[in-house]
Amino acid sequence: MSVATMHELAPGIFVRRHSELDLNCGLVIGSKRVLVIDTRSTADRGTQLAAAVRELTPLEQVVVNTHAHYDHCFGNVAFRDSQIYGHVLAAESLQRTAEHQRSQVVEHLTRTDRPELAQTYLDTEVVLPFYLVEEDTPIDLGDRTAYLLFGGRAHTDHDLVVAVPDAGVVFWGDLIEQGADPAMEDSFPFEWGSTVATLSEHPLVRDASVHVPGHGEAVDAAFVQQQQQALSALATELEAALATGVQGVDGLIGKTRGLGFQDETLREAAVRALETRPGATGSQPAI
Ligand SMILES: [Zn+2]
């Protein structure tokens, strides 16, 4: 049973926290519309989220998917009458990978004896974002504006960050993670740290004091900087290891310990480093 709690971070800005995967969804309420940031992982869960938003405000709901991982966007079907924003590559990625993502989750839930939950994934229609952006985009909510920002490749090749500068709040999607390591399996480990650094210097981000990760508790700017520095150090170590002829995933793991990441995280980073290094064939994202 998934449990959800709503927390007001600033006037009219909420994070809804969910026990599944410690997932965060965001709400930014203006005088005319409310922006919903990410939609959870199934039709049922998306429907519950939409109802929770309606308890707070009757305003028109506008949606953004921070990226195309199932836990952030399979609930889109519950918002299909809303404008759903995403990066153009998020729509492409979701179209290409949705059934693979679904089958992986269903296989995992079946193996761990949760067939009823698995069925809710099978029953969920995937709805793509259809207001597609490639660069920074303002979302007019009435008396306030939220901004969709694209800083470059990082957790995926299409992560959007949502800044609400009037309140000093930023929703980072999975570019920042609290309580667990950043998820590397579709990442660009040479670029992630510098993308976060670029975004942190953005005029709409640099004065923010409340930073909401895709999973875990809201954090401060110092936490973001610390994670950015660890990700940048990881890139530096991976580049140095490859430049000195270190080969193979295990070799790269051995050269990147000591940065605060779990070995499994380093393994995924090493795999992606080999896939995405300059000149590598197959440098496209897996998702
Ligand atoms: Zn993700």
Short mmCIF file of all heavy atoms in Angstrom, two decimals, residues 66-72 155-156 159 173-175 177 183 185-186 215, ligand 1:
data_model
loop_
_atom_site.label_atom_id
_atom_site.label_comp_id
_atom_site.label_asym_id
_atom_site.label_seq_id
_atom_site.Cartn_x
_atom_site.Cartn_y
_atom_site.Cartn_z
N THR A 66 9.42 15.42 -15.79
CA THR A 66 10.84 15.78 -15.75
C THR A 66 11.67 14.90 -16.67
O THR A 66 12.67 15.35 -17.22
CB THR A 66 11.40 15.69 -14.32
OG1 THR A 66 11.22 14.35 -13.82
CG2 THR A 66 10.73 16.70 -13.40
N HIS A 67 11.24 13.64 -16.84
CA HIS A 67 11.93 12.75 -17.78
C HIS A 67 11.08 11.50 -17.98
O HIS A 67 10.01 11.37 -17.38
CB HIS A 67 13.34 12.41 -17.29
CG HIS A 67 13.42 11.68 -15.99
ND1 HIS A 67 13.03 12.23 -14.79
CD2 HIS A 67 13.83 10.42 -15.69
CE1 HIS A 67 13.21 11.36 -13.82
NE2 HIS A 67 13.69 10.25 -14.34
N ALA A 68 11.54 10.60 -18.82
CA ALA A 68 10.69 9.51 -19.33
C ALA A 68 10.81 8.21 -18.55
O ALA A 68 10.46 7.15 -19.08
CB ALA A 68 11.00 9.26 -20.81
N HIS A 69 11.28 8.25 -17.34
CA HIS A 69 11.28 7.03 -16.52
C HIS A 69 9.87 6.79 -15.97
O HIS A 69 9.20 7.74 -15.53
CB HIS A 69 12.30 7.13 -15.39
CG HIS A 69 13.71 6.95 -15.87
ND1 HIS A 69 14.79 7.41 -15.18
CD2 HIS A 69 14.20 6.34 -16.99
CE1 HIS A 69 15.90 7.09 -15.84
NE2 HIS A 69 15.56 6.45 -16.94
N TYR A 70 9.47 5.52 -15.94
CA TYR A 70 8.08 5.16 -15.68
C TYR A 70 7.53 5.75 -14.39
O TYR A 70 6.36 6.12 -14.31
CB TYR A 70 7.92 3.63 -15.65
CG TYR A 70 8.47 2.99 -14.39
CD1 TYR A 70 7.65 2.74 -13.30
CD2 TYR A 70 9.82 2.67 -14.29
CE1 TYR A 70 8.15 2.18 -12.13
CE2 TYR A 70 10.33 2.12 -13.14
CZ TYR A 70 9.50 1.87 -12.06
OH TYR A 70 10.01 1.33 -10.91
N ASP A 71 8.38 5.83 -13.35
CA ASP A 71 7.88 6.29 -12.05
C ASP A 71 7.50 7.77 -12.07
O ASP A 71 6.83 8.25 -11.16
CB ASP A 71 8.88 5.98 -10.93
CG ASP A 71 10.31 6.37 -11.26
OD1 ASP A 71 10.71 6.29 -12.44
OD2 ASP A 71 11.04 6.74 -10.32
N HIS A 72 7.92 8.49 -13.10
CA HIS A 72 7.64 9.92 -13.22
C HIS A 72 6.55 10.23 -14.24
O HIS A 72 6.10 11.37 -14.31
CB HIS A 72 8.91 10.68 -13.59
CG HIS A 72 10.00 10.53 -12.58
ND1 HIS A 72 10.26 11.48 -11.62
CD2 HIS A 72 10.86 9.52 -12.34
CE1 HIS A 72 11.25 11.06 -10.85
NE2 HIS A 72 11.64 9.87 -11.27
N HIS A 155 21.11 12.78 -15.96
CA HIS A 155 20.48 11.51 -15.56
C HIS A 155 19.94 10.77 -16.78
O HIS A 155 19.93 9.55 -16.84
CB HIS A 155 19.37 11.85 -14.57
CG HIS A 155 18.49 10.73 -14.15
ND1 HIS A 155 18.93 9.68 -13.39
CD2 HIS A 155 17.18 10.47 -14.40
CE1 HIS A 155 17.92 8.82 -13.18
NE2 HIS A 155 16.85 9.29 -13.80
N THR A 156 19.46 11.56 -17.76
CA THR A 156 19.08 11.06 -19.09
C THR A 156 19.55 12.13 -20.09
O THR A 156 20.26 13.07 -19.71
CB THR A 156 17.54 10.90 -19.23
OG1 THR A 156 16.94 12.19 -19.19
CG2 THR A 156 16.97 10.02 -18.13
N ASP A 159 16.46 15.58 -19.34
CA ASP A 159 15.94 15.99 -18.03
C ASP A 159 15.51 17.45 -18.04
O ASP A 159 16.28 18.32 -18.44
CB ASP A 159 17.02 15.84 -16.96
CG ASP A 159 17.63 14.46 -16.92
OD1 ASP A 159 16.97 13.55 -16.41
OD2 ASP A 159 18.77 14.29 -17.41
N GLY A 173 13.85 16.97 -10.56
CA GLY A 173 13.74 15.63 -11.13
C GLY A 173 14.84 14.75 -10.57
O GLY A 173 15.31 14.96 -9.44
N ASP A 174 15.31 13.79 -11.36
CA ASP A 174 16.33 12.87 -10.84
C ASP A 174 17.75 13.36 -11.06
O ASP A 174 18.70 12.60 -10.86
CB ASP A 174 16.14 11.48 -11.48
CG ASP A 174 14.95 10.74 -10.88
OD1 ASP A 174 14.32 11.29 -9.94
OD2 ASP A 174 14.66 9.62 -11.33
N LEU A 175 17.93 14.64 -11.43
CA LEU A 175 19.29 15.19 -11.46
C LEU A 175 19.91 15.22 -10.07
O LEU A 175 21.12 15.16 -9.92
CB LEU A 175 19.30 16.61 -12.04
CG LEU A 175 19.64 16.72 -13.52
CD1 LEU A 175 18.54 16.10 -14.34
CD2 LEU A 175 19.88 18.15 -13.93
N GLU A 177 19.36 13.54 -6.09
CA GLU A 177 18.69 12.48 -5.35
C GLU A 177 19.14 12.53 -3.90
O GLU A 177 20.33 12.71 -3.63
CB GLU A 177 19.03 11.12 -5.97
CG GLU A 177 18.31 9.98 -5.30
CD GLU A 177 17.70 9.00 -6.30
OE1 GLU A 177 17.91 9.13 -7.50
OE2 GLU A 177 16.99 8.11 -5.84
N ALA A 183 20.72 7.73 -9.90
CA ALA A 183 20.52 6.53 -10.72
C ALA A 183 21.21 6.70 -12.07
O ALA A 183 20.90 7.62 -12.81
CB ALA A 183 19.03 6.25 -10.90
N GLU A 185 21.66 4.35 -14.72
CA GLU A 185 21.57 3.36 -15.80
C GLU A 185 21.32 3.95 -17.19
O GLU A 185 21.64 3.31 -18.19
CB GLU A 185 20.54 2.28 -15.48
CG GLU A 185 19.08 2.73 -15.56
CD GLU A 185 18.54 3.21 -14.23
OE1 GLU A 185 19.35 3.55 -13.34
OE2 GLU A 185 17.30 3.25 -14.08
N ASP A 186 20.77 5.14 -17.27
CA ASP A 186 20.58 5.80 -18.58
C ASP A 186 21.35 7.11 -18.65
O ASP A 186 21.03 7.98 -19.46
CB ASP A 186 19.09 6.06 -18.82
CG ASP A 186 18.29 4.79 -18.83
OD1 ASP A 186 18.72 3.83 -19.50
OD2 ASP A 186 17.25 4.73 -18.16
N HIS A 215 13.61 12.01 -5.74
CA HIS A 215 13.35 11.03 -4.68
C HIS A 215 14.02 11.54 -3.41
O HIS A 215 15.15 12.02 -3.45
CB HIS A 215 13.92 9.66 -5.05
CG HIS A 215 13.44 9.14 -6.37
ND1 HIS A 215 12.39 8.25 -6.49
CD2 HIS A 215 13.85 9.40 -7.64
CE1 HIS A 215 12.19 7.98 -7.77
NE2 HIS A 215 13.06 8.66 -8.49
ZN ZN B 1 14.81 8.65 -13.37
#
